Amino acid sequence: DVVAYCIEKHHKEPSIAEHGCAVLSKIAKYDMENVFMAVASLDLVPLLIESIRNHCMHPQVLEEILCLVSKLAKKETVARNIFQLRGIASVVAVMMANTPHGGIQYEGCQSILNLSKHRCLQKKIGDEGGVYAVVDAMRFHPHDEDIQKLAVGCLSNLISVHNNIEMLILAQVKFILQDFKHDSKIVLQKVELIKVAISKTEDPELKKRANPIQREPSRRKSLIQTIMRNSEGSIRRRSLFGSIGFMFDKEDEQERYKHSI
């Protein structure tokens, strides 16, 4: 309760947001119910989602906030609240703006994985750009087995929605999964399920539209610009993108995708 109270009163302070969320995440490993109660009693979820937007310049802070959000998302009532507060969109925007940052991609995928376990949110995750964010995490971190495992788990949940499968085809995830390797047999089984779902859904017209070099960067830019706004409603573009070297120069972005596919 004390830690949750500190976060509530000082959530705009990066160090308090970071360490407070880290402490609650550790407590949650052993006493999840008390963490749920503390978060609920102080109505902390809206502040956590606001903190994702407020601390866009601080990757380490974002990582700890996402870690706590992922744990809270296990409970369906909290997961619904996260969606209603545009929390899924915020997680997606942070992932897309920080594709090189492994920690953020890991915690972001973990958040989407736990959110996608609730069937009522599976379509909404796709609508908010979650499919593209997860595919990006796989594409930019091909050798990180933990990220790959979480991403596959996300996609195996999301393929229950037809529109999400179409997004996977547009993102050309088939090429990422073509030579997919992992030590876990369960992960490999999930990969096969995703491949089967894609093969059943693919059609010639959809294949023609699947051009990530032209389509994906503009979608990512649009999603981030729509979501990541400060309290006055203006976009802190330089602070959000400049700190991580992820500016949206068209030719540079196309080169990124050519090398990542």
Side-chain angles (χ1 to χ4, degrees):
D1 288 347
V2 174
V3 177
Y5 179 79
C6 288
I7 295 174
E8 182 199 23
K9 293 299 178 185
H10 306 286
H11 65 280
K12 291 185 179 179
E13 290 292 327
S15 59
I16 293 178
E18 178 183 356
H19 298 299
C21 288
V23 170
L24 284 181
S25 294
K26 287 178 182 178
I27 294 172
K29 290 181 180 179
Y30 309 101
D31 195 357
M32 194 69 228
E33 278 306 311
N34 268 340
V35 172
F36 279 132
M37 289 171 61
V39 168
S41 65
L42 293 171
D43 197 21
L44 208 59
V45 174
L47 294 180
L48 290 174
I49 302 307
E50 182 186 338
S51 295
I52 292 175
R53 301 174 186 130
N54 289 340
H55 299 297
C56 57
M57 291 176 63
H58 304 96
Q60 289 302 122
V61 181
L62 289 173
E63 194 175 332
E64 294 299 344
I65 296 171
L66 290 176
C67 181
L68 180 57
V69 167
S70 73
K71 288 175 169 53
L72 296 174
K74 292 177 181 179
K75 195 167 187 176
E76 186 170 344
T77 53
V78 180
R80 286 174 179 270
N81 193 16
I82 289 170
F83 166 71
Q84 290 165 359
L85 293 164
R86 298 281 290 159
I88 295 174
S90 296
V91 171
V92 168
V94 165
M95 290 178 70
M96 286 183 166
N98 293 274
T99 45
H101 195 289
I104 288 177
Q105 297 306 307
Y106 176 88
E107 298 299 348
C109 285
Q110 183 71 73
S111 298
I112 292 177
L113 175 61
N114 289 339
L115 287 162
S116 67
K117 289 177 181 177
H118 310 295
R119 292 188 66 86
C120 60
L121 296 179
Q122 288 172 353
K123 183 179 184 303
K124 301 180 190 303
I125 290 169
D127 292 343
E128 298 285 6
V131 171
Y132 292 104
V134 171
V135 173
D136 270 359
M138 296 184 76
R139 182 172 285 135
F140 281 86
H141 299 273
H143 305 299
D144 190 317
E145 286 201 353
D146 293 329
I147 290 176
Q148 296 292 317
K149 179 180 178 180
L150 290 173
V152 168
C154 293
L155 299 182
S156 67
N157 290 339
L158 294 173
I159 57 172
S160 62
V161 178
H162 181 80
N163 285 350
N164 291 342
I165 302 174
E166 289 194 342
M167 290 180 199
L168 287 176
I169 296 168
L170 291 170
Q172 295 203 343
V173 74
K174 183 170 67 174
F175 295 105
I176 298 175
L177 300 178
Q178 205 165 30
D179 300 311
F180 188 90
K181 294 178 182 178
H182 202 279
D183 292 336
S184 170
K185 289 183 179 179
I186 295 174
V187 173
L188 294 176
Q189 287 171 358
K190 289 179 179 179
V191 168
E192 289 306 312
L193 289 174
I194 297 166
K195 287 180 178 179
V196 169
I198 290 172
S199 65
K200 287 181 179 179
T201 307
E202 264 187 333
D203 63 70
E205 287 303 313
L206 204 57
K207 285 181 180 178
K208 289 178 184 177
R209 291 159 51 199
N211 189 343
I213 295 176
Q214 295 177 4
R215 180 184 176 85
E216 299 276 334
S218 60
R219 177 170 177 79
R220 184 192 292 111
K221 179 180 178 180
S222 174
L223 279 166
I224 297 171
Q225 289 185 336
T226 301
I227 297 160
M228 298 300 288
R229 300 177 183 276
N230 64 11
S231 56
E232 289 76 32
S234 60
I235 302 166
R236 279 191 262 180
R237 183 172 180 180
R238 184 68 190 174
S239 61
L240 174 61
F241 303 133
S243 61
I244 56 173
F246 196 83
M247 303 300 287
F248 286 100
D249 178 80
K250 185 177 180 181
E251 291 182 2
D252 178 64
E253 188 64 13
Q254 289 183 353
E255 284 302 311
R256 285 175 186 271
Y257 265 82
K258 287 176 184 176
H259 291 303
S260 63
I261 295 172

